[in-house]
Amino acid sequence: MNWKTAQLQTEGAISIPKSWLHLHYYEALNILFRSENALRVFVYISLKNNHFDKWSETTIQSSDNEQSTIMALARKRIAQAEGFGYLGYEIKSPLMHLNSGELVRLITSDACWDKIFKSYFKGKREIIKTKLDEVGTVRNSLAHFRPIKYDDIELIKQNVKHALIGVEECLSEMIQTNNVVPTNTKEDWYKSLKTCGTDLCEIQIFQSNNEKWIRIQITFKSKILKTDTWWAEYMSYTILNLISPAIIKSYESIRKYVTYVTEFIPYAPINNDLTPTFTKTVSFTFRRDVLISKEQDIGADIKNMFLKIQEEVALVEQDNLAKGDLIETARTSAQLNRQTNSWGTSSETLKCPFREDDPAEYWGDVGLYQSDFITGASKYPWMPSSISEKENPFDF
């Protein structure tokens, strides 16, 4: 067997062997992969903000026509996948184990449609279900390696656009919470949180354009514990690092009411005495009505988190071999670029990528700023790797 491979050409062009499938098969895969995963994210955020920590106990009808819960069905499929654990990634987030048909049945079910999902769809339930079922038919043809027509691509494009236009609006608003909350906001949650930053953790509060979503961002200012000069052009540093997913595991109210948590590692500038400034931002996104109704519990957890960070920073500063629940040490570096005669820093070791045992609320370094989440995301929640290159190299 001569399995020919694609070849990367200059300027990013790719040469595909003529014996490979026609291009519309790849286009179909891209549309179906993205729309199904976007639907998973949408179902998660909707259930999470209605059922909080009980969201995975929602009843669902499986593809085998059995009544189950999301978690029970996921556990069954995870156990089956473990028999071939050497293949692919080990994924344990419950919604990653539901297929599109099950998601559609859940969305359009009598128990969930009116109460949770109806307001996000611009059409009657029967029409939305028909459009998504048609997409599912093409998906099943591709998944079971039956031929599909080029016309099928136009159908799934149109159906996804029509059925998920409200879903796209919801997801875009949620991930683009970049407007600073006005300082004269009178709501109790804001007055309680805006002053609770410390010398180690700066707090900033943002909201979406429709003000439905609130993002509480903390910037952890890392401390350098040790500097090593290996040679004139290379430095290494032992620094403090904030363990982002551990926050969700450690604080019950944050875990219960937050929609998702992400982290971002800004580039660390370095001054003339070769001392970089390392920081990490961790963002907690809440639906505003949830934050308002649970502000005392959430505020108490955030304040306790700040206190624990201070305590553990002091602990690890005294004993560099110690590790706290939220604070650990990490190694980073800086290197001289001979061509530009400037120093550059590396902060990759500060990242906390999504791991199989992390809660569904942790989304790792999924970007916050893309305007088209369904068609443009280079990474989706609960995935340990990217699924594409970034369309815009300046996107985070």
Side-chain angles (χ1 to χ4, degrees):
M1 295 183 186
N2 181 19
W3 294 108
K4 297 180 179 179
T5 60
Q7 301 294 325
L8 184 63
Q9 307 294 323
T10 58
E11 297 183 356
I14 298 174
S15 174
I16 297 177
K18 290 183 178 180
S19 59
W20 275 26
L21 298 175
H22 295 304
L23 283 176
H24 69 274
Y25 283 86
Y26 307 112
E27 188 173 4
L29 175 62
N30 177 66
I31 297 167
L32 295 167
F33 186 100
R34 290 182 174 280
S35 59
E36 187 164 323
N37 278 293
L39 207 56
R40 286 182 174 130
V41 176
F42 167 71
V43 167
Y44 161 76
I45 66 172
S46 300
L47 294 179
K48 180 68 196 291
N49 283 287
N50 278 272
H51 301 315
F52 304 129
D53 54 337
K54 306 296 183 185
W55 71 269
S56 63
E57 298 175 17
T58 304
T59 300
I60 187 171
Q61 181 182 346
S62 73
S63 296
D64 300 324
N65 292 321
E66 296 179 356
Q67 290 294 114
S68 183
T69 65
I70 293 174
M71 181 57 76
L73 183 58
R75 284 174 176 163
K76 178 181 177 181
R77 291 176 179 173
I78 289 168
Q80 293 170 342
E82 286 175 348
F84 300 92
Y86 51 85
L87 297 173
Y89 293 101
E90 191 168 4
I91 304 292
K92 293 190 176 180
S93 291
L95 281 170
M96 293 297 287
H97 294 276
L98 302 189
N99 60 46
S100 60
E102 290 162 344
L103 293 170
V104 172
R105 284 194 293 276
L106 174 63
I107 290 169
T108 58
S109 66
D110 290 339
C112 294
W113 175 257
D114 285 331
K115 181 181 178 182
I116 300 176
F117 297 112
K118 180 180 177 180
S119 62
Y120 296 102
F121 291 91
K122 302 180 185 300
K124 293 183 178 179
R125 172 166 54 171
E126 297 77 14
I127 295 175
I128 296 298
K129 186 176 187 304
T130 297
K131 284 185 172 290
L132 292 176
D133 283 345
E134 287 180 341
V135 173
T137 299
V138 178
R139 177 234 192 240
N140 290 340
S141 293
L142 190 65
H144 295 287
F145 310 120
R146 295 190 291 266
I148 60 175
K149 299 180 293 184
Y150 183 81
D151 289 348
D152 294 337
I153 308 302
E154 294 306 311
L155 180 141
I156 61 176
K157 278 184 181 179
Q158 282 296 102
N159 281 19
V160 167
K161 181 178 180 180
H162 291 161
L164 301 188
I165 185 172
V167 172
E168 172 68 26
E169 290 172 0
C170 168
L171 295 175
S172 294
E173 283 286 348
M174 183 191 67
I175 63 176
Q176 294 190 89
T177 48
N178 305 317
N179 299 327
V180 175
V181 174
T183 55
N184 61 340
T185 298
K186 303 299 184 182
E187 293 169 349
D188 290 340
W189 66 267
Y190 180 77
K191 291 188 288 185
S192 174
L193 290 176
K194 69 176 182 178
T195 59
C196 69
T198 68
D199 59 336
L200 292 171
C201 293
E202 176 186 341
I203 188 167
Q204 294 174 285
I205 307 176
F206 302 89
Q207 63 186 2
S208 58
N209 287 329
N210 63 6
E211 301 184 7
K212 183 177 180 178
W213 298 95
I214 300 295
R215 179 166 60 90
I216 300 170
Q217 176 181 291
I218 67 168
T219 300
F220 174 69
K221 303 170 186 176
S222 183
K223 292 187 176 183
I224 297 176
L225 304 179
K226 184 182 179 184
T227 301
D228 293 305
T229 303
W230 294 101
W231 57 86
E233 299 174 359
Y234 185 84
M235 311 279 289
S236 69
Y237 309 90
T238 302
I239 70 172
L240 297 175
N241 187 34
L242 179 61
I243 310 170
S244 305
I247 298 172
I248 309 171
K249 298 175 183 178
S250 300
Y251 295 96
E252 181 180 356
S253 292
I254 291 177
R255 180 174 65 252
K256 187 174 183 178
Y257 300 120
V258 75
T259 300
Y260 68 98
V261 177
T262 59
E263 68 169 19
F264 173 66
I265 317 296
Y267 176 75
I270 186 168
N271 60 23
N272 292 334
D273 66 357
L274 302 185
T275 303
T277 302
F278 293 102
T279 59
K280 170 185 281 191
T281 65
V282 181
S283 291
F284 306 82
T285 299
F286 296 88
R287 205 169 70 182
R288 191 188 201 104
D289 61 331
V290 173
L291 184 57
I292 289 173
S293 64
K294 306 297 181 182
E295 60 95 5
Q296 290 187 347
D297 294 337
I298 295 168
D301 266 6
I302 290 175
K303 291 173 184 177
N304 288 334
M305 174 191 68
F306 285 149
L307 290 174
K308 191 173 183 67
I309 288 173
Q310 284 186 306
E311 293 170 0
E312 292 190 353
V313 164
L315 168 69
V316 180
E317 278 187 304
Q318 292 175 5
D319 179 1
N320 294 176
L321 298 180
K323 179 182 178 181
D325 295 327
L326 307 182
I327 299 295
E328 64 181 356
T329 59
R331 298 279 291 180
T332 60
S333 63
Q335 190 165 2
L336 178 67
N337 184 323
R338 291 184 178 182
Q339 292 182 333
T340 62
N341 196 34
S342 61
W343 285 82
T345 55
S346 174
S347 304
E348 285 294 310
T349 54
L350 301 184
K351 289 184 178 180
C352 297
F354 179 80
R355 302 187 188 280
E356 63 185 67
D357 60 341
D358 284 333
E361 291 80 6
Y362 185 59
W363 290 9
D365 62 348
V366 171
L368 294 173
Y369 306 107
Q370 60 261 17
S371 59
D372 193 339
F373 185 81
I374 295 179
T375 66
S378 61
K379 194 172 185 180
Y380 286 101
W382 316 310
M383 295 186 184
S385 65
S386 63
I387 53 97
S388 73
E389 298 294 332
K390 294 183 175 71
E391 186 73 28
N392 182 346
F394 297 103
D395 286 344
F396 293 102

